[in-house]
Amino acid sequence: MSQIKGSVSSDIVWHSHVLGKAQREAANGHPALVIWFTGLSGSGKSTLAGALEQALFARGIKTYLLDGDNLRHGLCSDLGFSDIDRRENIRRVGEVSKLMVDAGLVVLTAFISPNKTERQKIRELMKEGQFIEVHVDTPLEICEARDPKGLYKKARAGELRNFTGIDAVYEAPEHPDIYLDGAKPVGSSIEKLLFILKNYGILPD
């Protein structure tokens, strides 16, 4: 990808709609926000995000899950894995998440998103309390042992460059909103997530 986001043309004017997030939240019966899962490849973030979405959906919460691989089949199919492209990938996901929050949804995302600055930019797109950073902290050796896509094996063999955790840095959150031990059973992590999410008004006490 050779071109990234530039400044917005002065000819483009934001159009305010009659219906807004507040009305959609009221109709849905819960606040809208982003639950952003970050962690190494193989950490379990996609599994946890999927399990949490099912748990929320079963409780009547309006949700949508954005998964990294899925978006690279469409919205981000023109991007590679250079540092610039990976940043653009996360920027697009942030903008889509913002739109879905405006639609009144609880948005779950599962992205390595290794850069602290890029994650902070997404937080700043949202209003206070609308971005929940969930760090799925799983030791590298466990992630490699899982290696569901065989990516670590390729990275160790030198067949895959710029792979997070091997030859590219993962900047772990210093103060995530929610910390999860990725080595623990999925069920216990979901229980912890549901308990904490009550504080955000998504679920009743």
Side-chain angles (χ1 to χ4, degrees):
M1 193 200 75
S2 59
Q3 184 176 5
I4 59 176
K5 179 187 176 185
S7 59
V8 177
S9 169
S10 59
D11 296 327
I12 300 175
V13 179
W14 184 267
H15 181 76
S16 297
H17 300 287
V18 175
L19 290 177
K21 182 171 70 68
Q23 291 92 335
R24 298 184 183 103
E25 287 179 323
N28 290 340
H30 59 78
L33 48 75
V34 176
I35 304 173
W36 188 281
F37 288 81
T38 176
L40 294 172
S41 177
S43 63
K45 59 189 178 298
S46 292
T47 298
L48 288 166
L52 178 60
E53 185 188 31
Q54 292 179 57
L56 292 175
F57 186 81
R59 290 163 173 76
I61 307 302
K62 305 298 189 297
T63 66
Y64 196 84
L65 173 59
L66 296 172
D67 180 81
D69 283 354
N70 290 355
L71 264 65
R72 281 187 175 273
H73 280 277
L75 179 66
C76 300
S77 61
D78 60 322
L79 300 176
F81 291 92
S82 67
D83 187 57
I84 291 177
D85 280 7
R86 294 180 72 166
R87 289 171 187 265
E88 172 64 10
N89 182 59
I90 295 303
R91 188 196 70 80
R92 293 183 192 181
V93 175
E95 293 291 348
V96 170
S97 297
K98 182 180 178 181
L99 290 173
M100 288 189 163
V101 166
D102 189 58
L105 301 176
V106 170
V107 186
L108 303 95
T109 77
F111 292 83
I112 295 174
S113 47
N115 186 276
K116 291 180 184 178
T117 301
E118 301 310 309
R119 296 194 302 266
Q120 181 61 28
K121 287 179 181 178
I122 306 305
R123 185 186 292 275
E124 292 171 359
L125 285 175
M126 313 298 169
K127 293 183 178 179
E128 184 70 27
Q130 289 183 348
F131 182 89
I132 304 173
E133 184 181 55
V134 181
H135 180 203
V136 183
D137 187 12
T138 308
L140 179 60
E141 58 269 22
I142 294 179
C143 294
E144 285 201 67
R146 291 172 178 172
D147 203 11
K149 305 171 188 176
L151 300 179
Y152 283 102
K153 184 177 180 180
K154 290 182 179 180
R156 290 295 188 188
E159 300 172 7
L160 188 61
R161 299 294 184 183
N162 198 32
F163 189 72
T164 305
I166 303 301
D167 58 351
V169 175
Y170 175 72
E171 298 176 347
E174 295 177 1
H175 305 288
D177 299 297
I178 300 176
Y179 175 88
L180 296 178
D181 182 346
K184 288 188 174 181
V186 172
S188 64
S189 294
I190 296 302
E191 288 181 8
K192 179 178 180 178
L193 285 165
L194 292 173
F195 179 79
I196 295 175
L197 289 176
K198 290 180 180 179
N199 296 328
Y200 289 85
I202 299 176
L203 298 168
D205 292 330

